[in-house]
Amino acid sequence: MTTPALARRLGLGDAVAIGLGSMIGAGVFVVFGPAAGAAGSWLLAGLAIAAAVAFCNATSSAQLAAVHPVAGGAYAYGRAELGAWWGYLAGWCFVIGKTASCAAMALAFAAYVAPAGWERLVAILAVALLAGVNLLGVTRTALATRVIVVIVLACLAVGIAGGFAAPAAAPLAATAFDAYGVLQAAGLLFFAFAGYARIATLGEEVRNPGRTIPRAIPLALGLAIVVYAVVGLAVLHALGPDGAALSAAPLADAVSAAGWEWAEPVVRVGAAAAALGALLALIAGIGRTALAMAREDDLPRFLAAVHPRRRVPHRAEIALALAVIAIIAFADLRGAIGFSSFGVLLYYLVANLAAWRQGEAVRRYPRWLQVVGTAGCLALALALPWQSVVGGVVVVAVGVVYRAVRLTIERRAQ
């Protein structure tokens, strides 16, 4: 029995908004603190490395998406270009990494808006609400994301202005250069750049995907890089590297350092909206990857259903929401960032290898970009905090064993 196909309803603006909403929701309000703790005054060097690796990955994703305009992102690309095992590895890493990201974003939202002691309940309610929005249809997701992006950018403008208005806290290069610390910061900051993957995972719902996706991915990434660089400069100017490392809300503290007490609630509203925007797009992207994996029996076939009227992968999104709610009960926000980065870096490693394998007839970018992207993904993944690396390796191994056992059972049943 065939299931209904997803509907192509998204244009270039929708795709850029979903990618940008994912990126600015993660990094601006969550990542700069731990990244500053790792790199010190060299935070912007870590940002530059993360941006360079993200650019290489983005060009690979764009080149692949133009040839394979289907749901699933690097899961589908890996299967088509490298084989089923590589595709499964990409899909498994994406699903586990981004499920952790969902929990992190929900907890970040609750940290800004919930009364003390109510954070986990508010986070759970946010997941349930946004899962419901996604179940209404992908055009509702795109519209909601556009509204959230506008709110976030307006609040960021206030935070940036306040940061630069504050007295300078420390010279930009006051701390000694630590190569490992800079790489670790880049690995953590990469968590914030991964939103453009959401565009590729919506490949079956974008109009004219061969043209739209390759344009939307670098455009969304470029806009995010500009925003991050300006925010990073403002935070370092107002707080210095030590102050930024100790802050749970760097932009809110930056406007406070300027004496703009009225602006702190504005920044907190922006942070809450950004976390919601990232969570909304994450649920959409993970649901589509789970759909693609279920179609190939790499996840239970039950999850491959598409709602006949809403045309969304409703079972996959409901299962995801339940998994995220379960994680929220035990999640640690900073640990979730490192774990998510590890999974997503491996996901993009597969994307780079798949793009490198493509022939000249469909090539849009030189192969050396894929080589740099592959090396960068490996370096940043291994530079993450050791707890994130060990946890990531264990969960990836569990996924590999699961598929190996399933294939063995299927062969014996034949």
Side-chain angles (χ1 to χ4, degrees):
M1 178 178 175
T2 60
T3 58
L6 299 174
R8 297 195 184 279
R9 294 172 176 168
L10 303 179
L12 177 62
D14 298 319
V16 171
I18 288 174
L20 186 60
S22 302
M23 287 184 277
I24 65 171
V28 172
F29 298 103
V30 179
V31 178
F32 277 105
S41 295
W42 297 93
L43 171 66
L44 294 182
L47 180 63
I49 293 171
V53 174
F55 175 77
C56 293
N57 298 342
T59 58
S60 293
S61 296
Q63 179 175 294
L64 289 159
V67 178
H68 307 287
V70 296
Y75 170 72
Y77 311 151
R79 286 184 65 90
E81 300 289 344
L82 301 171
W85 266 108
W86 284 101
Y88 175 80
L89 177 64
W92 180 252
C93 288
F94 182 87
V95 169
I96 62 172
K98 288 305 180 180
T99 299
S101 292
C102 285
M105 289 301 97
L107 287 167
F109 166 75
Y112 281 100
V113 302
W118 292 80
E119 291 88 355
R120 295 190 188 277
L121 177 59
V122 170
I124 289 170
L125 291 175
V127 171
L129 174 64
L130 294 187
V133 171
N134 271 301
L135 289 173
L136 292 176
V138 72
T139 53
R140 307 301 199 284
T141 299
L143 176 61
T145 303
R146 280 176 179 267
V147 172
I148 290 170
V149 167
V150 170
I151 294 172
V152 172
L153 290 177
C155 295
L156 277 177
V158 173
I160 290 167
F164 283 120
L172 192 58
T175 58
F177 179 79
D178 176 5
Y180 176 74
V182 170
L183 281 178
Q184 185 172 115
L188 293 169
L189 286 163
F190 186 83
F191 167 81
F193 281 114
Y196 56 83
R198 227 59 24 76
I199 300 170
T201 59
L202 297 173
E204 277 188 39
E205 294 156 284
V206 174
R207 295 191 299 269
N208 191 10
R211 175 178 172 83
T212 300
I213 294 177
R215 293 173 61 196
I217 288 176
L219 182 57
L221 177 61
L223 291 171
I225 290 171
V226 172
V227 171
Y228 284 163
V230 175
V231 171
L233 284 169
V235 167
L236 286 176
H237 174 83
L239 304 180
D242 293 336
L246 295 174
S247 175
L251 268 178
D253 290 343
V255 296
S256 294
W260 292 15
E261 300 301 332
W262 61 269
E264 185 174 348
V266 174
V267 173
R268 291 187 179 276
V269 168
L276 285 181
L279 181 57
L280 183 68
L282 277 167
I283 292 172
I286 301 169
R288 273 68 180 175
T289 299
L291 168 70
M293 295 181 72
R295 284 172 172 171
E296 302 293 341
D297 291 319
D298 282 334
L299 286 177
R301 173 65 68 166
F302 173 81
L303 300 177
V306 174
H307 194 279
R309 185 162 63 92
R310 299 293 184 182
R311 308 292 285 274
V312 296
H314 57 295
R315 291 178 183 172
E317 291 190 350
I318 291 171
L320 168 66
L322 294 175
V324 174
I325 288 170
I327 293 171
I328 286 171
F330 307 100
D332 172 76
L333 180 58
R334 290 180 180 237
I337 292 173
F339 181 81
S340 175
S341 290
F342 184 86
V344 175
L345 283 162
L346 292 186
Y347 170 87
Y348 281 114
L349 184 148
V350 175
N352 280 304
L353 291 173
W356 183 85
R357 183 99 191 286
Q358 287 184 296
E360 295 300 327
V362 297
R363 180 159 297 283
R364 293 169 178 258
Y365 303 98
R367 275 193 169 87
W368 67 263
L369 281 174
Q370 287 107 57
V371 174
V372 173
T374 300
C377 287
L378 283 173
L380 296 191
L382 294 176
L384 288 166
W386 69 267
Q387 298 93 332
S388 299
V389 176
V390 171
V393 168
V394 169
V395 176
V396 169
V398 168
V400 170
V401 170
Y402 164 79
R403 187 170 193 269
V405 170
R406 180 181 66 79
L407 292 176
T408 300
I409 293 173
E410 288 178 357
R411 281 195 297 268
R412 290 178 178 176
Q414 291 175 352

